[in-house]
Amino acid sequence: MDKREQYIDKQIIEQIMELRKQLHRIPEHSMQEVKTKQLLMDFLKSHTALEIVDCGAWFYAVKRADDRVTTENDKTFHVSEVATEIPEQMTEYKPPIAFRADMDAVCGKDGKPGHFCGHDGHSSVLCGLGLYLDSRKDPLAQDVYLIFQPAEEIGKGAELCRSLIKEKHIGEIYGFHNIPGKPLGTVLVKDGTFACASTGLEIHMTGTPSHAAYPEAGRNPGYALAGLLLQIEELTKQFNETKGFVRMTLIGMKLGSENYGVAASDGYLRLTVRSEGEQVFREYLAEIRKLAEVMAQKEALELSIKEIERFPSTDNHAEQVQKIRACAASHQIPYIELPEPMRWSEDFGWYLQETKGAFFGIGDGEDYAQLHTEHFEFPDSILETAVTMFAGLCVDIKEGEC
């Protein structure tokens, strides 16, 4: 944040930088973030007076609005506690706003977890927002929720936590991801789809075995799976030409055994498929299923299809994207418009199905190590930019202008 006035106290950045390093040393698998969660909760309890709620696999913290209201029977409540019950008295009420960070690590080649995606940085940034909100002397206009979710890497965390949106009547939500290959400290924005929908597909076909000398006596799924792969490749080309971006990646095939006297009778085709936009993605999946069903029926094979690690598309709301632009401009943070969605997926899309919100990126540097590689580590140089964006979005945005 050179050449502009510092918005976040330097001490806050130093505290969360040390926190990030501590988190980096204790990476944990998705849905196993026990030490990580405890460290984050202990940090906020030690350094803030925020209300902290333990939800088992995840937790959230709340900074309450200072506005209070007195009802007819002279009882005083926080505005947010009664707004949904007596809206006629809440003309100045602003619904709560939420910010999300993920806590899990990536599974490395050796099966051990590692923070090769930057979730240690995301969680530290959200703690930085907590420190900032706790230090503010001016009253807040709305409750601010900080959601620390597990299991983003397997697409399960946001789906688990999204019930909080309706429960607390949260009006909008924001999240971010650090992105290598983009200018350092630059905010990345996009209307509509920010990150693609995706899922792993395991297509399993089963026939009947036979002696290798008499293959005609059995039913071998190898030819059907190979033909299906080619059909899906052709389907993918058609969708790209007529409906929008889709992509199929062959992950692997497994067929038969090492017994050269027995013809194959059991096989798997494993793919990852992705698409820009949820509607096109659903259509794409449906067509793949139809192709598999027709092929299996034609060859008299049993068929099962399993979706693995399903991610919805991250579809931003235009009003919230404009607020991100306005916030960046107000704090003299450069921002650029992404010409197309990120091909990778983010489970933040589950929240955006419940309320308005937007997801944005912050550049790690144009020559920075790629995500999910052993050389990657969240760049501490963007901590201040990230906390500034979160803080600005919840305290000084009004009708899209900072």
Side-chain angles (χ1 to χ4, degrees):
M1 295 190 66
D2 296 336
K3 300 181 181 179
R4 61 178 183 268
E5 182 180 351
Q6 189 170 28
Y7 183 65
I8 304 298
D9 188 272
K10 183 179 180 181
Q11 184 179 359
I12 290 178
I13 304 304
E14 292 175 348
Q15 286 177 294
I16 64 172
M17 189 180 299
E18 177 57 32
L19 173 64
R20 191 202 65 77
K21 292 175 181 177
Q22 292 178 43
L23 291 169
H24 194 78
R25 292 193 287 267
I26 57 167
E28 295 174 293
H29 290 294
S30 298
M31 296 306 297
Q32 299 177 33
E33 305 94 329
V34 178
K35 294 180 181 178
T36 301
K37 174 192 159 194
Q38 192 62 53
L39 177 58
L40 290 166
M41 290 179 65
D42 289 345
F43 179 88
L44 289 172
K45 288 177 181 178
S46 298
H47 296 90
T48 76
L50 268 62
E51 179 183 334
I52 298 173
V53 180
D54 189 341
C55 300
W58 60 287
F59 77 98
Y60 65 89
V62 188
K63 173 65 175 180
R64 297 289 182 187
D66 298 294
D67 296 332
R68 293 175 178 268
V69 62
T70 301
T71 61
E72 294 179 355
N73 56 2
D74 294 327
K75 288 186 177 181
T76 301
F77 298 89
H78 280 292
V79 170
S80 58
E81 294 176 328
V82 295
T84 57
E85 299 176 10
I86 47 173
E88 67 276 4
Q89 299 184 30
M90 299 293 103
T91 56
E92 299 301 320
Y93 171 70
K94 290 184 67 177
I97 185 173
F99 297 83
R100 168 276 215 170
D102 31 24
M103 302 185 292
D104 57 330
V106 176
C107 184
K109 291 182 179 180
D110 56 2
K112 296 179 181 179
H115 276 299
F116 307 133
C117 199
H119 296 186
D120 52 342
H122 303 168
S123 292
S124 299
V125 167
L126 198 56
C127 283
L129 175 60
L131 292 174
Y132 170 77
L133 293 173
D134 189 68
S135 69
R136 277 180 56 87
K137 295 181 180 179
D138 296 333
L140 291 173
Q142 62 199 127
D143 290 352
V144 181
Y145 284 81
L146 315 183
I147 302 172
F148 293 83
Q149 73 155 74
E152 187 282 327
E153 292 293 347
I154 61 173
K156 298 293 186 182
E159 190 174 15
L160 176 67
C161 303
R162 65 174 176 169
S163 60
L164 186 72
I165 303 299
K166 288 187 177 179
E167 178 187 340
K168 303 300 181 182
H169 308 284
I170 292 170
E172 56 184 336
I173 186 168
Y174 295 91
F176 90 100
H177 205 297
N178 54 288
I179 302 180
K182 302 298 182 181
L184 180 65
T186 297
V187 169
L188 312 170
V189 298
K190 189 179 184 306
D191 286 314
T193 302
F194 186 94
C196 287
S198 73
T199 189
L201 284 181
E202 180 184 86
I203 302 173
H204 182 199
M205 290 188 181
T206 307
T208 55
S210 68
H211 192 289
Y214 301 97
E216 68 276 11
R219 291 195 297 276
N220 188 331
Y223 304 102
L225 289 172
L228 177 62
L229 176 62
L230 296 177
Q231 289 182 355
I232 295 173
E233 179 67 23
E234 184 60 32
L235 174 71
T236 301
K237 292 179 181 178
Q238 293 173 5
F239 262 70
N240 277 297
E241 291 172 356
T242 61
K243 293 181 178 292
F245 172 79
V246 295
R247 175 62 56 92
M248 179 272 287
T249 302
L250 174 62
I251 302 302
M253 295 183 73
K254 182 180 179 182
L255 186 70
S257 68
E258 295 181 3
N259 187 338
Y260 287 82
V262 180
S265 61
D266 191 73
Y268 294 84
L269 175 61
R270 295 185 173 96
L271 312 169
T272 296
V273 294
R274 63 189 71 247
S275 173
E276 174 184 354
E278 197 66 24
Q279 182 58 40
V280 172
F281 189 57
R282 291 195 187 103
E283 292 178 18
Y284 185 47
L285 285 176
E287 290 300 318
I288 290 174
R289 285 182 177 274
K290 286 180 183 179
L291 290 175
E293 289 166 358
V294 169
M295 182 65 77
Q297 185 176 17
K298 177 182 177 182
E299 301 296 329
L301 300 166
E302 293 183 14
L303 171 70
S304 67
I305 301 177
K306 183 190 299 183
E307 288 191 20
I308 301 168
E309 298 181 1
R310 173 74 156 86
F311 290 81
S313 58
T314 301
D315 296 327
N316 285 339
H317 296 257
E319 177 186 354
Q320 280 63 45
V321 176
Q322 181 54 33
K323 288 183 178 182
I324 292 171
R325 295 187 186 99
C327 183
S330 174
H331 295 286
Q332 300 176 23
I333 299 172
Y335 70 89
I336 58 176
E337 307 282 339
L338 291 176
E340 59 186 23
M342 305 304 297
R343 289 189 182 180
W344 42 256
S345 299
E346 238 295 342
D347 75 351
F348 191 82
W350 292 118
Y351 298 117
L352 297 177
Q353 292 179 8
E354 302 292 339
T355 191
K356 293 180 179 180
F359 196 78
F360 62 96
I362 299 179
D364 289 336
E366 293 169 282
D367 298 320
Y368 209 76
Q370 287 299 306
L371 301 173
H372 291 206
T373 65
E374 60 181 353
H375 300 295
F376 178 85
E377 183 170 346
F378 184 93
D380 289 332
S381 56
I382 69 171
L383 286 170
E384 186 180 337
T385 297
V387 178
T388 297
M389 287 297 300
F390 272 5
L393 284 166
C394 68
V395 300
D396 59 10
I397 294 292
K398 183 178 181 180
E399 296 179 357
E401 297 182 358
C402 287

